[in-house]
Amino acid sequence: MPNAIQVLYESTTSPNSRRVRFFIAEKGIHIDRNPVDLSAKEQFSEAYTAVNPRSQVPTLALADGTVITEVLAIWRYLEEVYPSAPLLGTNSKTQALVTMWERRAELDGFAPVMEGVRNVIAGLKGRALSGPHAYEQIPELVESSRQRVANFFADFNARLATVPFVAGDEFSAADITTLVTVDFSANALKMSIPEKHSAFRQWYGRVSSRPGVGA
Amino acid sequence: MPNAIQVLYESTTSPNSRRVRFFIAEKGIHIDRNPVDLSAKEQFSEAYTAVNPRSQVPTLALADGTVITEVLAIWRYLEEVYPSAPLLGTNSKTQALVTMWERRAELDGFAPVMEGVRNVIAGLKGRALSGPHAYEQIPELVESSRQRVANFFADFNARLATVPFVAGDEFSAADITTLVTVDFSANALKMSIPEKHSAFRQWYGRVSSRPGVGA
């Protein structure tokens, strides 16, 4: 098997790594992990940049030397190789809807939480975006990010008042990104789903017992 | 066919619409189009928000009433319904690599061009992000966006010095996003691929004859 999976490079403190660990746990599969210590800046080490020159986690390394980065790309690989249980939809329509709602969770929720965090933390001065290039922090983004997260909570509450799961009737990768976003926001921005958004809070209770939550 | 496609709402001035038109042309299929006049702010009209409350284009409407927004979701639907010619990869590995490189083109190229545009144009004051919510422009983002686009040109030049197409050996959706980004940047930011990045410029020449370019 030239395309066999060798190892997943990831970090317990990285929310993007959590999206992949969650996905793997929902599949009920085992993949070897190689921890990357972000607090020790191990992602910039010679050993790790030889694997991923962008110094980001997670990274999935295949036995044939192929390196797959980006959560969506790693998910796609795993979904094709381990189709059960499906997390990216099962027909043309549900695949499209999972893609759409997962993206909304990411662009409207996950991305602003990340932006709010990276533009405020002293230790990330000059590193406002992850990746190989240096960018200065822009303090104005902190407030706009918080506004975006508040709107995300309201919009997803409206959505979850009409369907049991983010993309519709079935649990999917859209729920994974949403749950990781909610926890990341509570932890890093101290912003939790407001009390008044009861449908969103009920959804959170519903998905909290999923096998992948603790992964 | 309950899932038959009814119509694509799109605009000739929207680069995201162009990503979908390009994809459709590469498939050699026909889909009815309903133009949305962004210069007349038709995306905020009652008729259009009844279709897509987020006031964004493109939107793919199915005959059963399903509304699919987000370029990646529309592409996924079309790829499943019209598998030939494949534009999102053909096996687990190429699907992952197309996903990864398309995303880099979007996050490192397309997104900063859009950010640079939306935070500077007078007509977009209070509309720094598309979608249903109002966000103020942040002038500091204009310069950081231009930095990001310059880095995108350099990084993709390095990539295209090693492979004929963005995701590897075959033309894919990653090339579509990259080409749309290059033209969008030249047009809206007056930033073109620098002369020194000859591999990227050669790639541009190579893909300029694709059936989808003029779509």
Side-chain angles (χ1 to χ4, degrees), chain A:
Chain A
M1 269 186 68
N3 289 358
I5 292 168
Q6 189 175 54
V7 71
L8 175 73
Y9 294 88
E10 55 93 42
S11 160
T12 49
T13 59
S14 144
N16 275 316
S17 296
R18 190 182 178 207
R19 289 163 76 192
V20 171
R21 290 195 306 269
F22 200 143
F23 195 93
I24 289 170
E26 293 286 331
K27 296 270 180 198
I29 57 177
H30 172 81
I31 290 173
D32 285 342
R33 296 183 196 169
N34 190 326
V36 178
D37 186 348
L38 303 184
S39 66
K41 299 200 184 299
E42 195 185 340
Q43 72 271 34
F44 301 110
S45 67
E46 223 172 291
Y48 189 67
T49 53
V51 175
N52 181 354
R54 292 169 66 88
S55 297
Q56 292 168 317
V57 284
T59 297
L60 188 70
L62 306 187
D64 72 355
T66 304
V67 167
I68 305 171
T69 65
E70 304 295 339
V71 172
L72 264 63
I74 295 172
W75 279 353
R76 174 56 56 191
Y77 188 81
L78 296 173
E79 184 86 349
E80 297 298 320
V81 176
Y82 303 100
S84 171
L87 293 166
L88 297 177
T90 52
N91 60 44
S92 52
K93 191 160 112 175
T94 55
Q95 285 194 63
L97 292 174
V98 169
T99 303
M100 176 176 108
W101 282 103
E102 196 284 326
R103 189 169 166 86
R104 288 205 188 154
E106 180 173 326
L107 293 187
D108 295 355
F110 191 91
V113 176
M114 188 64 88
E115 189 168 274
V117 170
R118 294 198 71 105
N119 284 282
V120 75
I121 290 181
L124 290 173
K125 266 193 207 310
R127 298 276 320 145
L129 293 170
S130 77
H133 304 291
Y135 297 103
E136 293 305 321
Q137 292 175 331
I138 298 178
E140 287 79 358
L141 284 173
V142 178
E143 189 46 41
S144 80
S145 296
R146 296 182 69 90
Q147 256 182 280
R148 289 167 67 191
V149 173
N151 287 328
F152 161 73
F153 285 147
D155 292 347
F156 269 56
N157 183 63
R159 168 69 178 166
L160 290 162
T162 67
V163 284
F165 297 104
V166 173
D169 290 333
E170 305 290 341
F171 179 86
S172 76
D175 297 284
I176 293 179
T177 296
T178 305
L179 187 140
V180 170
T181 298
V182 168
D183 288 352
F184 184 24
S185 173
N187 184 43
L189 298 184
K190 308 298 170 209
M191 288 180 73
S192 298
I193 307 169
E195 293 265 356
K196 63 183 174 189
H197 295 328
S198 55
F200 201 173
R201 291 172 73 101
Q202 280 161 26
W203 165 89
Y204 188 86
R206 209 151 56 234
V207 294
S208 290
S209 56
R210 298 291 313 188
V213 166

Side-chain angles (χ1 to χ4, degrees), chain B residues 34-158:
Chain B
N34 191 326
V36 178
D37 186 350
L38 304 185
S39 66
K41 298 200 184 299
E42 196 185 339
Q43 73 271 33
F44 301 110
S45 68
E46 225 173 288
Y48 189 68
T49 53
V51 176
N52 180 354
R54 291 169 67 87
S55 297
Q56 293 168 317
V57 284
T59 298
L60 187 70
L62 306 187
D64 72 354
T66 304
V67 167
I68 304 171
T69 66
E70 304 295 341
V71 172
L72 265 61
I74 295 172
W75 280 352
R76 174 56 56 193
Y77 189 81
L78 296 173
E79 183 86 350
E80 297 299 320
V81 176
Y82 304 101
S84 171
L87 293 166
L88 297 177
T90 52
N91 60 44
S92 51
K93 192 162 111 177
T94 56
Q95 285 193 64
L97 291 175
V98 170
T99 303
M100 175 175 110
W101 283 104
E102 197 285 327
R103 189 170 167 86
R104 288 206 188 153
E106 179 174 326
L107 293 188
D108 294 354
F110 191 90
V113 175
M114 187 64 88
E115 188 168 275
V117 171
R118 294 197 72 104
N119 284 283
V120 77
I121 290 180
L124 290 173
K125 267 194 206 306
R127 299 276 320 144
L129 293 170
S130 77
H133 304 293
Y135 298 103
E136 292 306 321
Q137 292 175 331
I138 298 178
E140 286 79 359
L141 284 173
V142 178
E143 188 46 40
S144 80
S145 297
R146 297 183 68 91
Q147 256 183 282
R148 288 167 69 193
V149 174
N151 287 328
F152 161 73
F153 286 146
D155 292 348
F156 269 55
N157 183 64

